[in-house]
Amino acid sequence: MKLRRLTRYLAVLCIAAASAYFASQQASSAAAPGKPLSSFDPQVKALLAQMTLEEKIGQMTQPDQENIKDLSDIEHYAVGSILSGGSSDPKEGNSLQAWTDLYDRLQQHTALTRLKIPILYGVDAVHGHNNVLGAVIFPQNIGLGCTRNAALVEKVERVTAEEVRATGIQWAFAPCVTVPQDIRWGRTYEGFSEDPQVVKELGEAAVRGFQGTDLANPLSVLACAKHYIGDGGTTFGSARRDTGLDQGDTRVDEATLRRIHLQGYISTVKAGVASIMPSYSSWNGVKVSGDKHLLTGILKQELGFQGFLISDYNAIDQVNPNYKTAIGISINAGMDMAMVPARYKEYIADLKQLVDEGVVPVSRIDDAVTRILRVKFAMGLMDKNRSQLADRGLQKSFGSPEHRAVARQAVRESLVLLKNKNKVLPLAKTAARIHVAGKNADDLGNQCGGWTIDWQGKSGDVTPGGTTVLAAIKGAASAKTNVTFSKDGTGAAGATVGVVAIGEQPYAEGNGDRADLKLAQEDADAVANMKAAGIPVVVILLSGRPMILGPVLDQADAVIAAWLPGTEGAGITDVLFGDFKPKGKLSFAWPRSMEQVAKHPGDKDYDPLFRFGYGLTY
Ligand code: GLC
C-alpha cells in the first residue's frame, strides 16, 4: 500500500514539474521581452489626436541626411526619421566625433517643431557600427552562422548596440534574416545560413542583443529584421538589373515561401523586433513592397507584428512606373515609413494628395503613425525628462579591448576547418620560418568585406585598430620565428610552412552577384607558387561565400574557411596555432562545381563538396 502511494505521489510530482516547465517555456516563448508595443497606445492616441495630416505624413518620411540641403527641412516637414545610407557620411569625415556631432545637429532641429517629436536615426550597423572609423568590425553574418552560437550572436549585437549608441544613433537596419538559396547572390554573406532554422534562431538572438529586454534602455537600439520576404530566394537571371539575382523575382508557392523565408520573421516578431524592412524583390512577379497580403495579411494580422514597416532605399519607386501611384499602392499595402533618401518633398506632397483624393484613407495614415509613435514611446524618445542627444560617456568603450575580445571570440568560432592533411594544423609558434602569401593576407578591407566605412567596402587599410592575418601571425609566432611575406607566394623555399590567404575583394548587394565563383587566377597562382616550394601549405579563404576551390583543394594540406571576419584577425591565428580548436560548422553547403550551386538536399544529383554542417576540429 505504502509503495503504491509513494509511486503515485512521485508520478504526481513529475507531472507537476513537467507542466511547470512547459508553462515557463510557453511564457518565455510567447511573450516578447518588455511591454508589448500596443501598451503605449493610450499615449499614442492622445498625441495622434493633436497632429495635423502634414505632421502625420512627416512621421512617415525618412530622408537621407546627405540630401537635406537645408536643415530647416527637418522642422518644416517634421520628418519622423533620418538615415545614413551605406556611404552617406558626415561631411567632416567618419570619425566618432563627426558622426556624433552629425546626429546631435540633426536631432536638435526636432526641438524646433510644434510637437517636438524626436527623430529616429537609422544606419546599417550590420557587422558592428561599420560606418565609423575605429569601431569594432565583427564577422559578417555568414561567419556568425557557422558558430551556431545564439548566446554569442546576442553578445555581438549587444556590443554593436553600445557602439551605435555612442554616436547617439538609436536604429540599426539589422539583423538581415535572409535565407540565401543561391550563393551567386552578392548578399549571401549578409545571411546567417541557407537553412531556415539557423536563421530563425540567430535572428532572434540578434534582436535580443540589439533591443535588450527594454527598448527604453539607453543602450538598446531599435532592430530591423530585413528584407521581408524572399530576398534570398530569387531566380538567377530575374534581377532588376542584369546582375543576376539581386532584387529579382522569387518564384515559389506560398507554402515554400513560408517554410524557407518566413522563419526569421516568426522568431524576430516573437522576440519583439520593432521594425521590419520589406524587400526590393518580387514574389511571383509582384513587388513585395506593394503586396498587401504579405505586408498586412501575414506580418501584421497573422503574426501580430505591432511595430512599423520601413521601406528599402527608394524601393517604393519600383512598385509602379508612376511614383504617386506607387506610393498609394505601397502605403495601402501596409508600408508605414518610406525611406525616401532624396525625393522626400515629392513623396510628402503626393501622399497628401492621395489622402485628399481618398485613395489612401486617413485610417491607414493613423495606423502607420500609431505604429511609429508606439516605438518612439517604447524607446523613451517622448520622455521630456530625457535628453535625446548622444551620451558621449559611452565613447570610452568604443572600439575598446573588451569589445574587440567579443569580436575575436566570434572570429574563432566562425572558422570552419575543411581539410587538415597529416595534421599540419595547428602550427607551431616556434616554427623556424613561416612564409605568408595571398592578396588577403595583409588587407583589412578585404578581411571586412562590404558595408565597411563605405557601402561597397574597399581594399586596404580601411579603419584603425584592426589586425590583418599577417600582423596576427607575426604577433602570435615566437620572437625566434622568421615570418616572411610575398603576395604571389614566390620565395617560400626553405620555410617550415606556408600560409596563403586568398578569396574575395569587397562588394555589396547586386555588385556582388557572380555567375562564376571560381577563385581568382592570382589566388590560384599564389597557392601553386607556394606549393612549388615543396613545403606544407595552409590556405585561408576570406570570402563572402563558398567558392569553387578547384586544384587548390588538392594542393593545400589544410583549408580554413574564414568568411569575412572583420577587424579581429587574431581570432584566426588563435585557431591556426591551436590556442582555440576549430568548431565552426558550414552554414551553407560547399558546391563542388558551378553546376552544384543552388542545388539543395532532395534535388536530383545533389552532391556538394562539403555538406551543410560540415567542419573538422583538431
Ligand atoms: C540598401 C539595402 C538595405 C539597407 C538600405 C539603407 O539598399 O538594401 O539593406 O538597409 O539600403 O542603406
Side-chain angles (χ1 to χ4, degrees):
M1 181 57 172
K2 256 177 88 173
L3 180 63
R4 199 136 53 93
R5 249 211 330 267
L6 178 65
T7 316
R8 208 168 48 236
Y9 172 68
L10 285 175
V12 167
L13 211 61
C14 290
I15 291 166
S19 54
Y21 169 75
F22 286 120
S24 73
Q25 288 307 302
Q26 291 306 324
S28 63
S29 62
K35 293 194 293 188
L37 291 171
S38 56
S39 65
F40 293 92
D41 284 359
Q43 301 103 301
V44 168
K45 278 189 175 38
L47 178 53
L48 196 67
Q50 301 172 45
M51 295 173 77
T52 65
L53 176 60
E54 288 75 6
E55 289 166 332
K56 292 175 182 177
I57 291 175
Q59 286 300 307
M60 299 168 67
T61 307
Q62 183 191 64
D64 190 310
Q65 68 84 22
E66 67 181 354
N67 299 312
I68 305 177
K69 301 310 173 200
D70 179 347
L71 292 189
S72 66
D73 281 0
I74 297 171
E75 58 265 23
H76 179 71
Y77 295 100
V79 296
S81 176
I82 296 174
L83 88 141
S84 274
S87 294
S88 164
D89 307 326
K91 51 186 179 305
E92 300 83 0
N94 276 322
S95 70
L96 173 58
Q97 292 323 319
W99 274 96
T100 310
D101 293 345
L102 169 68
Y103 166 80
D104 279 356
R105 188 163 59 245
L106 300 178
Q107 188 65 273
Q108 280 161 345
H109 273 267
T110 58
L112 305 174
T113 59
R114 185 173 75 90
L115 294 170
K116 299 178 176 27
I117 301 172
I119 56 163
L120 280 165
Y121 199 104
V123 293
D124 293 278
V126 294
H127 63 137
H129 197 359
N130 38 252
N131 291 330
V132 186
L133 291 171
V136 179
I137 305 296
F138 290 88
Q140 301 273 10
N141 282 354
I142 190 169
L144 296 181
C146 294
T147 70
R148 303 293 202 282
N149 186 339
L152 179 58
V153 170
E154 181 174 345
K155 207 185 294 183
V156 164
E157 305 308 1
R158 184 101 302 277
V159 169
T160 298
E162 203 170 307
E163 299 212 349
V164 169
R165 276 293 194 170
T167 55
I169 293 171
Q170 334 95 324
W171 187 9
F173 300 132
C176 185
V177 290
T178 183
V179 192
Q181 298 297 294
D182 186 329
I183 60 170
R184 290 173 290 185
W185 188 34
R187 306 197 76 165
T188 297
Y189 67 77
E190 296 186 62
F192 291 111
S193 177
E194 70 179 26
D195 179 272
Q197 295 316 310
V198 172
V199 172
K200 181 176 189 153
E201 185 190 4
L202 299 187
E204 182 173 350
V207 167
R208 283 199 305 270
F210 279 117
Q211 298 191 166
T213 53
D214 180 2
L215 272 171
N217 184 318
L219 292 182
S220 291
V221 159
L222 173 60
C224 181
K226 72 185 188 181
H227 313 77
Y228 178 83
I229 182 174
D231 54 344
T234 59
T235 300
F236 193 84
S238 70
R240 188 169 67 87
R241 293 174 295 143
D242 61 356
T243 58
L245 286 154
D246 194 45
Q247 304 184 20
D249 190 20
T250 300
R251 298 166 184 162
V252 294
D253 63 23
E254 183 162 341
T256 305
L257 187 76
R258 288 170 175 264
R259 176 174 56 82
I260 298 175
H261 302 287
L262 188 61
Q263 301 309 315
Y265 297 94
I266 294 171
S267 63
T268 52
V269 166
K270 195 170 65 179
V273 72
S275 74
I276 291 177
M277 185 183 294
S279 175
Y280 285 113
S281 55
S282 303
W283 178 41
N284 295 330
V286 177
K287 281 289 175 186
V288 168
S289 293
D291 186 321
K292 186 166 186 176
H293 171 59
L294 295 176
L295 303 190
T296 299
I298 295 181
L299 259 188
K300 295 181 176 179
Q301 291 170 350
E302 184 183 321
L303 296 188
F305 173 58
Q306 295 188 356
F308 68 91
L309 300 182
I310 172 71
S311 80
D312 204 334
Y313 198 93
N314 289 326
I316 290 177
D317 306 34
Q318 297 179 23
V319 169
N320 187 283
N322 175 291
Y323 186 51
K324 183 178 167 189
T325 305
I327 294 166
I329 294 169
S330 187
I331 299 297
N332 281 336
M335 196 69 78
D336 299 306
M337 184 186 281
M339 189 183 289
V340 276
R343 57 197 308 193
Y344 55 94
K345 296 175 187 173
E346 186 183 351
Y347 162 79
I348 289 167
D350 284 351
L351 184 49
K352 169 98 173 47
Q353 271 182 20
L354 288 162
V355 174
D356 293 346
E357 292 158 3
V359 175
V360 174
V362 174
S363 58
R364 177 70 270 274
I365 299 293
D366 287 349
D367 173 53
V369 179
T370 292
R371 290 169 173 274
I372 294 164
L373 293 180
R374 278 172 176 170
V375 176
K376 292 191 175 183
F377 274 102
M379 293 183 73
L381 268 65
M382 309 307 294
D383 180 348
K384 299 301 175 206
N385 303 319
R386 176 170 160 176
S387 166
Q388 298 305 326
L389 301 183
D391 172 3
R392 294 177 192 242
L394 294 174
Q395 296 184 353
K396 57 183 176 298
S397 67
F398 190 88
S400 64
E402 296 74 19
H403 285 182
R404 292 186 188 280
V406 175
R408 183 167 172 170
Q409 181 62 22
V411 175
R412 289 181 191 125
E413 295 195 29
S414 68
L415 301 189
V416 181
L417 181 59
L418 298 175
K419 179 181 179 183
N420 190 20
K421 198 171 89 180
N422 306 327
K423 296 191 179 358
V424 67
L425 291 179
L427 302 181
K429 290 181 179 178
T430 55
R433 179 185 162 207
I434 300 174
H435 189 67
V436 183
K439 70 169 185 275
N440 287 356
D442 197 26
D443 191 313
L444 198 63
N446 290 6
Q447 201 168 297
C448 293
W451 298 103
T452 307
I453 308 302
D454 288 295
W455 173 42
Q456 293 293 313
K458 59 185 175 190
S459 300
D461 196 12
V462 292
T463 186
T467 308
T468 64
V469 174
L470 178 60
I473 291 173
K474 287 178 176 173
S478 73
K480 294 196 303 295
T481 301
N482 177 18
V483 177
T484 53
F485 173 71
S486 66
K487 196 171 177 181
D488 64 2
T490 55
T496 316
V497 64
V499 178
V500 195
I502 55 174
E504 293 190 298
Q505 290 170 294
Y507 53 80
E509 302 193 42
N511 293 326
D513 283 2
R514 293 280 182 281
D516 190 339
L517 294 173
K518 74 174 184 294
L519 293 172
Q521 192 53 49
E522 73 172 306
D523 288 346
D525 293 348
V527 174
N529 290 336
M530 190 76 96
K531 188 69 188 170
I535 59 173
V537 176
V538 176
V539 168
I540 302 174
L541 190 68
L542 294 154
S543 61
R545 54 199 149 189
M547 297 183 77
I548 307 305
L549 295 173
V552 161
L553 181 62
D554 294 335
Q555 290 166 338
D557 297 279
V559 179
I560 293 177
W563 316 111
L564 297 173
T567 48
E568 305 315 304
I572 296 174
T573 45
D574 291 339
V575 170
L576 217 49
F577 290 102
D579 293 334
F580 187 87
K581 287 185 180 178
K583 58 188 287 192
K585 301 292 178 201
L586 286 181
S587 58
F588 289 81
W590 199 288
R592 190 180 299 279
S593 65
M594 285 312 293
E595 292 62 48
Q596 276 290 318
V597 166
K599 285 193 185 301
H600 294 277
D603 292 350
K604 201 171 67 64
D605 61 35
Y606 174 66
D607 177 26
L609 180 61
F610 302 109
R611 286 185 176 275
F612 168 83
Y614 180 88
L616 303 174
T617 188
Y618 297 152

